[in-house]
């Protein structure tokens, strides 16, 4: 079992990678309440052997990722007699994490929680950093805060029941953190992705490396004030694509496409040369399938893009490559020229556009 000390602005907390079944079972036994994704509970209730009286099932759906759903969790916890001295457990993917992070941060002004991420996307990326992002009306990820768990347990066994599309969604985030972490990390992921089909055990190393790379950023900027903004690489465009397709494109797949758009803009502005762009484009394209390219209205895409919280009233603020393996926050005016540049990517690379 590997262990990482994860940095936050509040206190360092531990991440345990593939802890023993006995240790994981002990954590579940010593809590009053377990908030769990309904689908995960159905798949794993016999293996986890959770007392039914402790369970709070939630529907981990995009339209449920709202403040009012976190308040419902608070109500359920209170009904189970939770006090400010108790520690609860949460099990699920990114939406579960967002809802529980927010709920535990406001209940009694903060109670401790332990996190078991079950999706690749959550295990490789969102599980650390302590950030909640909730939707409000038509705005995506506009409400949230920072409230990390006291411990994280990553059990790769949860990945066995994921669909291929869920694995590829998680790989989107793995690609992101490697491609922004320097030329060495970029070359590492290029090699690992080349060998992944023949040796799926490489995925374990990819997850752990991603967490180490992100943790280095958290040590410098735990509250998204500077360097950590680079983690939004691919996300500005990805979030807009999710919204424009009514979330029919999953998050990690949208991020994969968003990375390609960011790289295309960097290439168009002379930040990447043709060979560098083509290397990255091939890498990202290998994480996509025909069914990922959902049709959408470009006007809806631009409307969503303008709502990104990094923007000013007149300028987009995109994270794009400054060179191969490095990214930076770059300002673009909200002009027809910028809109046409982005649309040219879709016309050239987005199948069926």
């Amino acid at each position: 079992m590997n262990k990482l000390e994860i940095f936050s602005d509040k206190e360092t907390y531990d991440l345990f990678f593939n802890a023993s079944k006995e240790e994981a079972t002990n954590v579940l036994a010593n809590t009053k309440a377990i908030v769990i994704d309904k689908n995960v509970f159905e798949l794993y209730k016999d293996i986890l052997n959770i007392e039914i009286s402790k369970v709070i099932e939630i529907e981990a759906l995009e339209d449920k990722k709202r403040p009012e759903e976190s308040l419902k969790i608070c109500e359920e916890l209170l009904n189970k007699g939770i006090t400010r001295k108790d520690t609860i457990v949460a099990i699920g993917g990114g939406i579960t994490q967002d809802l529980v992070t927010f709920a535990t941060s406001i209940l009694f002004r903060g109670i401790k929680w332990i996190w078991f991420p079950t999706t690749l996307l959550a295990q490789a990326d969102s599980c650390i950093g302590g950030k909640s992002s909730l939707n409000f009306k038509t705005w995506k990820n506009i409400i949230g805060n920072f409230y990390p768990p006291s411990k994280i347990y990553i059990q790769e066994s949860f990945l066995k029941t994921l669909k291929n599309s869920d694995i590829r969604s998680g790989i989107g985030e793995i690609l992101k953190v490697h491609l922004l972490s320097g030329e060495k990390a970029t070359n590492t992921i290029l090699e690992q992705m080349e060998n992944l089909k023949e040796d799926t055990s490489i995925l374990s190393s990819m997850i752990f490396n991603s967490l180490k790379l992100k943790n280095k950023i958290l040590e410098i900027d735990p509250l998204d004030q500077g360097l950590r903004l680079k983690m939004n690489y691919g996300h500005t465009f990805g979030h807009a694509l999710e919204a424009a397709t009514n979330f029919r494109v999953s998050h990690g797949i949208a991020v994969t496409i968003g990375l390609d758009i960011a790289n295309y803009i960097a290439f168009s502005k002379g930040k990447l040369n043709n060979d560098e762009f083509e290397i990255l484009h091939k890498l990202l394209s290998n994480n996509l399938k025909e069914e990922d390219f959902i049709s959408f209205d470009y006007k809806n895409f631009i409307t969503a893009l303008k709502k990104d919280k990094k923007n000013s009233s007149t300028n987009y603020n995109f994270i794009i490559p400054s060179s191969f393996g490095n990214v930076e926050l770059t300002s673009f005016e909200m002009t027809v020229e910028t809109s046409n540049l982005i649309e040219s990517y879709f016309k050239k690379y987005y199948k069926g556009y």
Side-chain angles (χ1 to χ4, degrees), residues 10 56 61 115 117 133 141 145 244-245 290 299:
K10 294 178 174 62
I56 298 173
L61 303 172
W115 178 221
S133 295
N141 293 340
N145 59 0
T245 60
E290 193 80 30
K299 289 181 181 178

Side-chain angles (χ1 to χ4, degrees), residues 310-329:
K310 294 186 300 301
N311 297 335
S312 68
S313 59
T314 59
N315 286 61
Y316 298 110
N317 289 306
F318 298 147
I319 306 295
I320 67 168
S322 54
S323 62
F324 190 74
N326 298 286
V327 300
E328 64 183 3
L329 186 66

Side-chain angles (χ1 to χ4, degrees), residues 96-136:
T96 303
Q97 179 183 353
D98 284 321
L99 291 169
V100 173
T101 298
F102 197 74
T104 54
S105 71
I106 60 176
L107 186 61
F108 300 117
R109 299 190 185 90
I111 60 171
K112 288 186 176 182
W113 66 293
I114 294 172
W115 178 221
F116 283 76
T118 59
T119 65
L120 179 56
L121 193 150
Q123 290 189 2
D125 179 67
S126 69
C127 69
I128 65 173
K131 185 161 62 174
S132 69
S133 295
L134 301 179
N135 303 329
F136 178 67

Side-chain angles (χ1 to χ4, degrees), residues 28-29 31 33-34 36 40-41 44-56 89 91:
L28 299 178
T31 183
I34 299 168
I36 186 168
V40 175
F41 184 60
Y44 290 98
K45 58 185 176 183
D46 293 334
I47 297 172
L48 296 173
N49 195 27
I50 300 173
E51 291 180 36
I52 299 299
S53 62
K54 295 181 178 182
V55 173
I56 298 173
V89 172
I91 305 173

Side-chain angles (χ1 to χ4, degrees), residues 16 19 31 49 53 56 73 136 201 215 243 260 280 283 286 326:
F16 301 95
T31 183
N49 195 27
S53 62
I56 298 173
I73 292 173
F136 178 67
S201 67
N215 197 36
D260 209 31
L280 296 177
L283 171 70
N286 285 341
N326 298 286

Side-chain angles (χ1 to χ4, degrees), residues 81-185:
I82 294 297
T83 71
R84 67 175 60 193
K85 294 182 179 180
D86 290 316
T87 299
I88 72 156
V89 172
I91 305 173
I95 293 176
T96 303
Q97 179 183 353
D98 284 321
L99 291 169
V100 173
T101 298
F102 197 74
T104 54
S105 71
I106 60 176
L107 186 61
F108 300 117
R109 299 190 185 90
I111 60 171
K112 288 186 176 182
W113 66 293
I114 294 172
W115 178 221
F116 283 76
T118 59
T119 65
L120 179 56
L121 193 150
Q123 290 189 2
D125 179 67
S126 69
C127 69
I128 65 173
K131 185 161 62 174
S132 69
S133 295
L134 301 179
N135 303 329
F136 178 67
K137 295 187 181 295
T138 61
W139 290 272
K140 180 175 171 61
N141 293 340
I142 203 70
I143 290 177
N145 59 0
F146 293 89
Y147 192 74
S150 56
K151 292 179 183 178
I152 300 171
Y153 288 86
I154 291 182
Q155 305 295 104
E156 283 187 284
S157 56
F158 283 120
L159 304 182
K160 293 177 181 177
T161 51
L162 294 183
K163 297 180 293 185
N164 175 263
S165 58
D166 294 323
I167 294 294
R168 291 187 296 108
S169 185
I171 286 175
E173 292 287 6
I174 290 173
L175 293 172
K176 174 206 71 179
V177 73
H178 280 80
L179 297 185
L180 64 81
S181 296
E183 190 171 351
K184 182 179 178 181

Side-chain angles (χ1 to χ4, degrees), residues 295-313:
S295 61
F296 65 95
D297 187 327
Y298 187 66
K299 289 181 181 178
N300 293 338
F301 176 87
I302 288 296
T303 298
L305 196 67
K306 288 180 177 179
K307 291 182 179 180
D308 188 273
K309 54 183 175 285
K310 294 186 300 301
N311 297 335
S312 68
S313 59

